[in-house]
Amino acid sequence: MSLVDTRTPDPKRLISGATGDWEIIIGLEVHAQVTSNSKLFSGASTHFGNAANSNVSLVDAAMPGMLPVINQECVAQAVRTGLGLKAQINNRSVFDRKNYFYPDLPQGYQISQFKDPIVGEGKIIISVGPDRQGQFEDIEIGIERLHLEQDAGKSMHDQHPSMSYVDLNRSGVALMEIVSKPDMRSADEAKAYVTKLRSILRYLGTCDGNMDEGSMRADVNVSVRKPGGEFGTRCEIKNVNSIRFVGQAIESEARRQIAIIEDGGTIDQETRLFDPAKGETRSMRSKEDAHDYRYFPDPDLLPLEFDDAFVESLKADLPELPDDKKARFVADMGLSVYDASILVSEKAIADYFEEVARGRDGKMAANWVINDLLGALNKSGKAIEETPVSPAQLGAIIDMIKDGTISGKIAKDLFEIIWEEGGDPADVVEKRGMKQVTDTGAIEKAVDEVIAANPDQVAKAQAKPALAGWFVGQVMKATGGKANPKAVQDLVKAKLGIVDE
Ligand code: ADP
Ligand code: MG
């Protein structure tokens, strides 16, 4: 790949060493397991968590004479992903054999794509921030390619004191390898990239993105250089399996490289592993014993070809993706970019929000979803899918604020009750007497009582009208927060003889 530097060094992202500032250069290769019922070249199940070696066909076990047959759904998933990455779709691509020996690779080679991948150049817009001014910065990260390949099996060394076992359930499962350009310049950008990529894959339904089940893992390429200089030698940190670890691996690897160079040494291009317990990377193999994979086109498979109509039909069925959704929330619903970003971060959150906002004030719905619902979910460690308050229930609460049935303050209590106990919000308000008091007679009585009990405050407020707020507070307290605040305010002013200037 030709390395083109698309960015000018940004002082904010430099890290300082003993000899001055350094810039980190990062490129990611993400392996994403394709969501499909069966494997890339066989009909065996891809279901996660089944008993070892129960999802294995003769093809996956590489029995002699077995022939691979391409799974059309996996091809469709790769094309959908390419479209979601605004990438070049190649109507003709080639499957190659990547030859190496590994006990969990029964074929002795992996079927992958080398020179002619199914998807070419594309891009992902990441958003980093907020900075001290609360601003987000959008950055375009180039995608080099996406290709399809088989996953390997898994060696198990902890099942027997003197033997290793192998589980071939994963063997032959379809992976998409998504290779970025070396366009990232900080650990935060790399984390934002993986987060955004995962979100796009989940919106598309092409990979479930569950990193803890191994459905998505990243090889992290890191090098350092003096700002704006030549690209340095990179190290590749293999199989990082959480977004947090991606960040930690980059930080520690960059520090390691800077220390070596500043000590007068040079970086050896090598493959490294990240040790989360130590928070550092260690060498796995050097480029000297790097593999020569002897790629060649797999003679068992014809080149993969499809027509434009296939691509067009997939394009027509694509869901709205996070960037478009965000733009629509901002343009049509008047949300801030910040709020819209939070709401589109997960498809399930966006869906929830849209259901609440349908036919209601979008900003108000956004505030409730972000502050109250997401706040409560966060606090209780629940995912949006486990929310005890449904969109219909939250919508009903908002409707009652809008039509004056309850005050905004009471609505917060009501939300908590529905969260804890469930039920129909309107019924709960009725049964618990939570309705806002708009009856001026009752409010007037409360105002009179507070005024009568506090002659000193009356004198002060008459001298300094801003102090009238104290009375409003007292009356709200006396009515259990149920009085209509506007009515209270008007009455307090009238009774104290305060005229608005
Ligand atoms: P290979 O095929 O040997 O793995 P590639 O050139 O295809 O190498 O690059 C693999 C990944 O490494 C890509 O994501 C790319 O962006 C990244 N990369 C390449 N050069 C550098 C560099 N100097 N520093 C950081 N990342 C790099
Ligand atoms: Mg590579």
Side-chain angles (χ1 to χ4, degrees):
M1 119 186 219
S2 59
L3 297 178
V4 185
D5 192 356
T6 54
R7 300 181 58 182
T8 39
D10 176 352
K12 280 201 299 291
R13 293 187 172 78
L14 302 181
I15 57 176
S16 52
T19 59
D21 286 342
W22 294 86
E23 195 178 15
I24 313 179
I25 309 293
I26 304 151
L28 297 182
E29 298 161 275
V30 171
H31 288 90
Q33 182 178 326
V34 174
T35 300
S36 67
N37 294 327
S38 50
K39 296 183 179 180
L40 184 53
F41 299 113
S42 86
S45 166
T46 57
H47 188 264
F48 179 80
N50 284 0
N53 294 309
S54 61
N55 298 352
V56 187
S57 75
L58 296 172
V59 175
D60 310 320
M63 289 297 150
M66 293 297 113
L67 289 175
V69 178
I70 185 79
N71 177 343
Q72 178 168 340
E73 179 55 14
C74 294
V75 174
Q77 292 289 55
V79 172
R80 287 185 188 106
T81 306
L83 292 169
L85 300 175
K86 318 273 183 249
Q88 158 83 34
I89 307 296
N90 296 325
N91 295 38
R92 182 181 187 279
S93 64
V94 175
F95 284 105
D96 298 282
R97 289 187 180 179
K98 181 179 181 181
N99 299 280
Y100 60 101
F101 172 79
Y102 222 76
D104 54 25
L105 186 73
Q107 290 170 151
Y109 57 84
Q110 176 191 34
I111 305 178
S112 181
Q113 298 191 302
F114 186 48
K115 281 206 209 82
D116 300 295
I118 185 167
V119 174
E121 291 188 346
K123 63 183 175 196
I124 289 183
I125 310 288
I126 61 167
S127 189
V128 289
D131 63 14
R132 286 203 196 89
Q133 284 77 43
Q135 293 299 308
F136 283 85
E137 192 184 345
D138 284 350
I139 301 163
E140 183 178 312
I141 306 298
I143 300 292
E144 175 71 19
R145 59 187 274 154
L146 175 158
H147 65 254
L148 278 167
E149 62 184 30
Q150 300 175 296
D151 203 350
K154 192 172 124 197
S155 296
M156 294 183 291
H157 308 294
D158 56 358
Q159 309 281 310
H160 188 277
S162 59
M163 283 190 274
S164 282
Y165 286 16
V166 67
D167 174 8
L168 295 181
N169 279 358
R170 300 188 80 103
S171 170
V173 165
L175 301 178
M176 297 179 280
E177 178 169 338
I178 302 161
V179 183
S180 85
K181 302 201 180 247
D183 285 353
M184 285 157 273
R185 298 289 178 269
S186 72
D188 281 346
E189 290 184 10
K191 289 199 291 185
Y193 171 86
V194 179
T195 306
K196 185 63 175 282
L197 174 59
R198 186 176 61 175
S199 164
I200 292 172
L201 296 173
R202 284 178 167 166
Y203 268 78
L204 290 166
T206 58
C207 168
D208 66 28
N210 295 336
M211 296 185 83
D212 46 6
E213 290 179 1
S215 304
M216 215 178 120
R217 37 196 203 266
D219 296 344
V220 183
N221 295 273
V222 179
S223 65
V224 298
R225 66 174 182 186
K226 287 291 182 182
E230 293 286 305
F231 278 130
T233 303
R234 73 188 152 104
C235 288
E236 178 174 357
I237 310 155
K238 276 278 176 204
N239 273 329
V240 185
N241 63 2
S242 88
I243 292 175
R244 193 159 52 92
F245 293 163
V246 166
Q248 291 174 358
I250 291 168
E251 304 268 357
S252 73
E253 178 58 17
R255 292 268 162 221
R256 186 188 71 87
Q257 293 183 11
I258 291 168
I260 290 174
I261 301 170
E262 291 193 326
D263 244 19
T266 49
I267 304 301
D268 296 327
Q269 185 170 344
E270 58 181 358
T271 303
R272 300 180 67 84
L273 284 177
F274 178 66
D275 180 344
K278 292 206 181 104
E280 52 188 45
T281 65
R282 69 183 141 81
S283 183
M284 185 177 155
R285 58 171 182 258
S286 72
K287 197 71 181 180
E288 270 70 53
D289 43 72
H291 293 107
D292 177 356
Y293 294 114
R294 297 183 183 259
Y295 279 101
F296 64 86
D298 191 318
D300 290 341
L301 289 159
L302 289 168
L304 174 62
E305 293 188 47
F306 44 76
D307 54 18
D308 290 338
F310 176 67
V311 179
E312 287 309 316
S313 72
L314 295 171
K315 199 182 222 165
D317 282 344
L318 283 191
E320 183 181 37
L321 291 172
D323 289 343
D324 296 328
K325 217 184 253 302
K326 182 163 101 181
R328 181 166 59 82
F329 285 177
V330 172
D332 295 1
M333 297 181 157
L335 304 192
S336 68
V337 173
Y338 185 84
D339 286 356
S341 306
I342 295 173
L343 293 170
V344 304
S345 64
E346 276 183 50
K347 183 167 182 296
I349 295 175
D351 290 346
Y352 185 106
F353 163 70
E354 290 211 79
E355 219 177 309
V356 175
R358 196 164 303 130
R360 301 191 176 93
D361 178 347
K363 273 190 186 168
M364 194 166 168
N367 282 339
W368 274 89
V369 171
I370 293 170
N371 301 328
D372 300 273
L373 182 81
L374 294 183
L377 288 171
N378 208 0
K379 215 161 95 188
S380 61
K382 283 190 162 74
I384 181 86
E385 289 80 6
E386 307 163 299
T387 174
V389 178
S390 71
Q393 287 168 315
L394 180 52
I397 296 176
I398 293 174
D399 289 343
M400 285 188 284
I401 305 172
K402 266 280 174 198
D403 69 14
T405 309
I406 55 174
S407 67
K409 188 171 167 302
I410 289 290
K412 303 278 174 188
D413 298 341
L414 178 59
F415 179 84
E416 258 179 49
I417 295 171
I418 303 295
W419 177 275
E420 293 295 334
E421 301 166 24
D424 173 19
D427 282 353
V428 174
V429 165
E430 196 62 54
K431 287 204 188 93
R432 304 210 182 183
M434 297 169 87
K435 276 198 181 156
Q436 179 158 248
V437 180
T438 37
D439 166 10
T440 29
I443 298 175
E444 195 168 353
K445 187 164 161 276
V447 173
D448 286 340
E449 280 167 12
V450 175
I451 287 179
N454 297 285
D456 293 356
Q457 288 291 337
V458 172
K460 279 191 205 156
Q462 279 163 343
K464 205 175 170 206
L467 296 178
W470 182 85
F471 285 92
V472 176
Q474 293 300 305
V475 174
M476 292 306 288
K477 214 185 212 168
T479 57
K482 286 183 293 185
N484 180 321
K486 176 82 177 83
V488 175
Q489 213 165 22
D490 291 348
L491 272 166
V492 165
K493 281 186 184 160
K495 300 257 172 195
L496 295 176
I498 295 171
V499 204
D500 283 325
E501 51 279 3

PDB file of all heavy atoms in Angstrom, residues 3 23 27 50 62 103 154 191 211 218 274 278 292 329 349 354 358 411 435 456 466 489:
ATOM      1  N   LEU A   3       1.791   4.806   1.115  1.00  0.00           N
ATOM      2  CA  LEU A   3       1.440   5.573   2.302  1.00  0.00           C
ATOM      3  C   LEU A   3       1.412   7.062   1.980  1.00  0.00           C
ATOM      4  O   LEU A   3       2.431   7.646   1.646  1.00  0.00           O
ATOM      5  CB  LEU A   3       2.455   5.302   3.419  1.00  0.00           C
ATOM      6  CG  LEU A   3       2.494   3.857   3.905  1.00  0.00           C
ATOM      7  CD1 LEU A   3       3.550   3.685   4.968  1.00  0.00           C
ATOM      8  CD2 LEU A   3       1.134   3.438   4.440  1.00  0.00           C
ATOM      9  N   GLU A  23       4.839  12.554  17.115  1.00  0.00           N
ATOM     10  CA  GLU A  23       3.501  12.312  16.574  1.00  0.00           C
ATOM     11  C   GLU A  23       3.305  10.793  16.458  1.00  0.00           C
ATOM     12  O   GLU A  23       4.213  10.085  16.008  1.00  0.00           O
ATOM     13  CB  GLU A  23       3.417  12.962  15.188  1.00  0.00           C
ATOM     14  CG  GLU A  23       2.016  13.114  14.656  1.00  0.00           C
ATOM     15  CD  GLU A  23       1.993  13.821  13.286  1.00  0.00           C
ATOM     16  OE1 GLU A  23       3.053  13.931  12.637  1.00  0.00           O
ATOM     17  OE2 GLU A  23       0.915  14.243  12.878  1.00  0.00           O
ATOM     18  N   GLY A  27      -2.595   2.795  12.208  1.00  0.00           N
ATOM     19  CA  GLY A  27      -3.467   2.181  11.200  1.00  0.00           C
ATOM     20  C   GLY A  27      -4.025   0.896  11.779  1.00  0.00           C
ATOM     21  O   GLY A  27      -3.322   0.167  12.470  1.00  0.00           O
ATOM     22  N   ASN A  50     -21.788 -23.086  21.216  1.00  0.00           N
ATOM     23  CA  ASN A  50     -22.123 -24.517  21.108  1.00  0.00           C
ATOM     24  C   ASN A  50     -20.946 -25.371  21.609  1.00  0.00           C
ATOM     25  O   ASN A  50     -19.814 -24.896  21.689  1.00  0.00           O
ATOM     26  CB  ASN A  50     -22.425 -24.885  19.657  1.00  0.00           C
ATOM     27  CG  ASN A  50     -23.820 -24.408  19.222  1.00  0.00           C
ATOM     28  OD1 ASN A  50     -24.541 -23.804  20.014  1.00  0.00           O
ATOM     29  ND2 ASN A  50     -24.165 -24.665  17.978  1.00  0.00           N
ATOM     30  N   ALA A  62     -11.472 -29.970   6.669  1.00  0.00           N
ATOM     31  CA  ALA A  62     -10.533 -30.157   5.553  1.00  0.00           C
ATOM     32  C   ALA A  62     -10.319 -31.624   5.207  1.00  0.00           C
ATOM     33  O   ALA A  62      -9.200 -32.077   5.000  1.00  0.00           O
ATOM     34  CB  ALA A  62      -9.198 -29.475   5.845  1.00  0.00           C
ATOM     35  N   PRO A 103      -1.793 -25.733  14.112  1.00  0.00           N
ATOM     36  CA  PRO A 103      -2.594 -26.908  14.472  1.00  0.00           C
ATOM     37  C   PRO A 103      -4.106 -26.669  14.354  1.00  0.00           C
ATOM     38  O   PRO A 103      -4.854 -27.611  14.129  1.00  0.00           O
ATOM     39  CB  PRO A 103      -2.216 -27.160  15.930  1.00  0.00           C
ATOM     40  CG  PRO A 103      -0.929 -26.457  16.141  1.00  0.00           C
ATOM     41  CD  PRO A 103      -0.883 -25.327  15.180  1.00  0.00           C
ATOM     42  N   LYS A 154      -9.568 -23.094  17.106  1.00  0.00           N
ATOM     43  CA  LYS A 154      -8.978 -22.612  18.355  1.00  0.00           C
ATOM     44  C   LYS A 154      -8.255 -23.750  19.061  1.00  0.00           C
ATOM     45  O   LYS A 154      -8.837 -24.808  19.287  1.00  0.00           O
ATOM     46  CB  LYS A 154     -10.110 -22.090  19.244  1.00  0.00           C
ATOM     47  CG  LYS A 154      -9.662 -21.303  20.441  1.00  0.00           C
ATOM     48  CD  LYS A 154     -10.876 -20.682  21.110  1.00  0.00           C
ATOM     49  CE  LYS A 154     -10.934 -21.100  22.558  1.00  0.00           C
ATOM     50  NZ  LYS A 154     -12.237 -20.900  23.171  1.00  0.00           N
ATOM     51  N   LYS A 191      -9.656   4.820  19.233  1.00  0.00           N
ATOM     52  CA  LYS A 191     -10.808   4.308  19.976  1.00  0.00           C
ATOM     53  C   LYS A 191     -12.109   4.779  19.314  1.00  0.00           C
ATOM     54  O   LYS A 191     -13.069   4.018  19.182  1.00  0.00           O
ATOM     55  CB  LYS A 191     -10.760   4.763  21.442  1.00  0.00           C
ATOM     56  CG  LYS A 191      -9.647   4.059  22.209  1.00  0.00           C
ATOM     57  CD  LYS A 191      -9.854   4.123  23.702  1.00  0.00           C
ATOM     58  CE  LYS A 191      -9.677   5.525  24.243  1.00  0.00           C
ATOM     59  NZ  LYS A 191      -9.765   5.574  25.711  1.00  0.00           N
ATOM     60  N   MET A 211     -17.120  -7.632  21.090  1.00  0.00           N
ATOM     61  CA  MET A 211     -15.681  -7.867  21.178  1.00  0.00           C
ATOM     62  C   MET A 211     -15.337  -8.921  22.222  1.00  0.00           C
ATOM     63  O   MET A 211     -14.359  -9.633  22.086  1.00  0.00           O
ATOM     64  CB  MET A 211     -14.939  -6.555  21.438  1.00  0.00           C
ATOM     65  CG  MET A 211     -15.105  -5.581  20.277  1.00  0.00           C
ATOM     66  SD  MET A 211     -14.137  -4.072  20.443  1.00  0.00           S
ATOM     67  CE  MET A 211     -12.536  -4.597  19.823  1.00  0.00           C
ATOM     68  N   ALA A 218      -8.964  -6.250  16.815  1.00  0.00           N
ATOM     69  CA  ALA A 218      -8.183  -5.303  16.023  1.00  0.00           C
ATOM     70  C   ALA A 218      -6.695  -5.607  16.094  1.00  0.00           C
ATOM     71  O   ALA A 218      -6.158  -5.919  17.160  1.00  0.00           O
ATOM     72  CB  ALA A 218      -8.442  -3.882  16.527  1.00  0.00           C
ATOM     73  N   PHE A 274      -0.395  -7.316  23.328  1.00  0.00           N
ATOM     74  CA  PHE A 274      -0.680  -6.424  24.452  1.00  0.00           C
ATOM     75  C   PHE A 274      -1.058  -7.262  25.662  1.00  0.00           C
ATOM     76  O   PHE A 274      -1.908  -8.142  25.583  1.00  0.00           O
ATOM     77  CB  PHE A 274      -1.815  -5.466  24.098  1.00  0.00           C
ATOM     78  CG  PHE A 274      -2.188  -4.550  25.235  1.00  0.00           C
ATOM     79  CD1 PHE A 274      -1.293  -3.593  25.691  1.00  0.00           C
ATOM     80  CD2 PHE A 274      -3.433  -4.644  25.849  1.00  0.00           C
ATOM     81  CE1 PHE A 274      -1.628  -2.743  26.752  1.00  0.00           C
ATOM     82  CE2 PHE A 274      -3.778  -3.802  26.902  1.00  0.00           C
ATOM     83  CZ  PHE A 274      -2.867  -2.854  27.348  1.00  0.00           C
ATOM     84  N   LYS A 278      -0.328  -6.083  32.575  1.00  0.00           N
ATOM     85  CA  LYS A 278       0.833  -5.209  32.743  1.00  0.00           C
ATOM     86  C   LYS A 278       0.644  -3.864  32.075  1.00  0.00           C
ATOM     87  O   LYS A 278       1.400  -2.918  32.335  1.00  0.00           O
ATOM     88  CB  LYS A 278       2.075  -5.878  32.136  1.00  0.00           C
ATOM     89  CG  LYS A 278       2.558  -7.129  32.883  1.00  0.00           C
ATOM     90  CD  LYS A 278       4.062  -7.316  32.639  1.00  0.00           C
ATOM     91  CE  LYS A 278       4.604  -8.555  33.320  1.00  0.00           C
ATOM     92  NZ  LYS A 278       4.847  -9.656  32.379  1.00  0.00           N
ATOM     93  N   ASP A 292       6.236 -16.040   4.807  1.00  0.00           N
ATOM     94  CA  ASP A 292       6.030 -15.876   3.383  1.00  0.00           C
ATOM     95  C   ASP A 292       4.842 -16.778   3.067  1.00  0.00           C
ATOM     96  O   ASP A 292       4.958 -17.997   3.064  1.00  0.00           O
ATOM     97  CB  ASP A 292       7.281 -16.334   2.612  1.00  0.00           C
ATOM     98  CG  ASP A 292       7.043 -16.228   1.113  1.00  0.00           C
ATOM     99  OD1 ASP A 292       5.901 -15.889   0.727  1.00  0.00           O
ATOM    100  OD2 ASP A 292       7.976 -16.488   0.350  1.00  0.00           O
ATOM    101  N   PHE A 329     -31.475  14.402  12.701  1.00  0.00           N
ATOM    102  CA  PHE A 329     -31.903  14.838  14.034  1.00  0.00           C
ATOM    103  C   PHE A 329     -31.588  16.328  14.230  1.00  0.00           C
ATOM    104  O   PHE A 329     -32.349  17.061  14.852  1.00  0.00           O
ATOM    105  CB  PHE A 329     -31.213  14.020  15.131  1.00  0.00           C
ATOM    106  CG  PHE A 329     -31.748  12.614  15.289  1.00  0.00           C
ATOM    107  CD1 PHE A 329     -31.173  11.737  16.205  1.00  0.00           C
ATOM    108  CD2 PHE A 329     -32.829  12.168  14.533  1.00  0.00           C
ATOM    109  CE1 PHE A 329     -31.657  10.448  16.373  1.00  0.00           C
ATOM    110  CE2 PHE A 329     -33.325  10.875  14.683  1.00  0.00           C
ATOM    111  CZ  PHE A 329     -32.727  10.010  15.599  1.00  0.00           C
ATOM    112  N   ILE A 349     -30.733   2.924  20.811  1.00  0.00           N
ATOM    113  CA  ILE A 349     -31.029   4.203  21.482  1.00  0.00           C
ATOM    114  C   ILE A 349     -31.748   5.133  20.516  1.00  0.00           C
ATOM    115  O   ILE A 349     -32.739   5.781  20.858  1.00  0.00           O
ATOM    116  CB  ILE A 349     -29.730   4.854  22.016  1.00  0.00           C
ATOM    117  CG1 ILE A 349     -29.106   3.979  23.109  1.00  0.00           C
ATOM    118  CG2 ILE A 349     -30.008   6.268  22.540  1.00  0.00           C
ATOM    119  CD1 ILE A 349     -27.765   4.469  23.623  1.00  0.00           C
ATOM    120  N   GLU A 354     -36.607   7.887  18.712  1.00  0.00           N
ATOM    121  CA  GLU A 354     -37.550   8.243  17.641  1.00  0.00           C
ATOM    122  C   GLU A 354     -38.983   7.877  18.014  1.00  0.00           C
ATOM    123  O   GLU A 354     -39.923   8.574  17.636  1.00  0.00           O
ATOM    124  CB  GLU A 354     -37.150   7.567  16.334  1.00  0.00           C
ATOM    125  CG  GLU A 354     -35.874   8.189  15.779  1.00  0.00           C
ATOM    126  CD  GLU A 354     -35.821   8.164  14.265  1.00  0.00           C
ATOM    127  OE1 GLU A 354     -36.474   9.034  13.647  1.00  0.00           O
ATOM    128  OE2 GLU A 354     -35.138   7.280  13.724  1.00  0.00           O
ATOM    129  N   ARG A 358     -41.853  10.803  18.295  1.00  0.00           N
ATOM    130  CA  ARG A 358     -42.910  10.820  17.273  1.00  0.00           C
ATOM    131  C   ARG A 358     -44.122  11.609  17.751  1.00  0.00           C
ATOM    132  O   ARG A 358     -44.723  11.304  18.768  1.00  0.00           O
ATOM    133  CB  ARG A 358     -43.310   9.381  16.914  1.00  0.00           C
ATOM    134  CG  ARG A 358     -44.107   9.289  15.621  1.00  0.00           C
ATOM    135  CD  ARG A 358     -44.160   7.855  15.094  1.00  0.00           C
ATOM    136  NE  ARG A 358     -42.817   7.313  14.888  1.00  0.00           N
ATOM    137  CZ  ARG A 358     -42.394   6.135  15.357  1.00  0.00           C
ATOM    138  NH1 ARG A 358     -43.180   5.388  16.074  1.00  0.00           N
ATOM    139  NH2 ARG A 358     -41.164   5.723  15.101  1.00  0.00           N
ATOM    140  N   ALA A 411     -42.734  15.259  37.362  1.00  0.00           N
ATOM    141  CA  ALA A 411     -42.463  14.296  36.287  1.00  0.00           C
ATOM    142  C   ALA A 411     -41.226  13.459  36.604  1.00  0.00           C
ATOM    143  O   ALA A 411     -41.167  12.274  36.283  1.00  0.00           O
ATOM    144  CB  ALA A 411     -42.300  15.026  34.965  1.00  0.00           C
ATOM    145  N   LYS A 435     -51.268  15.255  40.426  1.00  0.00           N
ATOM    146  CA  LYS A 435     -51.635  16.285  39.463  1.00  0.00           C
ATOM    147  C   LYS A 435     -51.202  17.668  39.922  1.00  0.00           C
ATOM    148  O   LYS A 435     -51.246  17.986  41.105  1.00  0.00           O
ATOM    149  CB  LYS A 435     -53.160  16.280  39.260  1.00  0.00           C
ATOM    150  CG  LYS A 435     -53.593  15.253  38.260  1.00  0.00           C
ATOM    151  CD  LYS A 435     -54.998  15.569  37.778  1.00  0.00           C
ATOM    152  CE  LYS A 435     -55.404  14.499  36.779  1.00  0.00           C
ATOM    153  NZ  LYS A 435     -56.842  14.358  36.687  1.00  0.00           N
ATOM    154  N   ASP A 456     -41.096  39.468  58.013  1.00  0.00           N
ATOM    155  CA  ASP A 456     -39.768  40.036  57.733  1.00  0.00           C
ATOM    156  C   ASP A 456     -39.415  39.891  56.261  1.00  0.00           C
ATOM    157  O   ASP A 456     -38.930  40.826  55.618  1.00  0.00           O
ATOM    158  CB  ASP A 456     -38.679  39.309  58.536  1.00  0.00           C
ATOM    159  CG  ASP A 456     -38.835  39.586  60.028  1.00  0.00           C
ATOM    160  OD1 ASP A 456     -39.730  40.397  60.368  1.00  0.00           O
ATOM    161  OD2 ASP A 456     -38.068  38.982  60.816  1.00  0.00           O
ATOM    162  N   ALA A 466     -36.321  40.903  43.671  1.00  0.00           N
ATOM    163  CA  ALA A 466     -35.694  39.628  43.288  1.00  0.00           C
ATOM    164  C   ALA A 466     -35.914  38.567  44.366  1.00  0.00           C
ATOM    165  O   ALA A 466     -35.887  37.374  44.093  1.00  0.00           O
ATOM    166  CB  ALA A 466     -34.210  39.818  43.037  1.00  0.00           C
ATOM    167  N   GLN A 489     -46.024  32.179  40.912  1.00  0.00           N
ATOM    168  CA  GLN A 489     -45.225  33.383  40.706  1.00  0.00           C
ATOM    169  C   GLN A 489     -46.120  34.624  40.559  1.00  0.00           C
ATOM    170  O   GLN A 489     -45.899  35.652  41.201  1.00  0.00           O
ATOM    171  CB  GLN A 489     -44.429  33.196  39.436  1.00  0.00           C
ATOM    172  CG  GLN A 489     -43.083  33.853  39.457  1.00  0.00           C
ATOM    173  CD  GLN A 489     -42.238  33.302  38.329  1.00  0.00           C
ATOM    174  OE1 GLN A 489     -42.751  32.776  37.336  1.00  0.00           O
ATOM    175  NE2 GLN A 489     -40.941  33.400  38.472  1.00  0.00           N
TER     176      GLN A 489
END
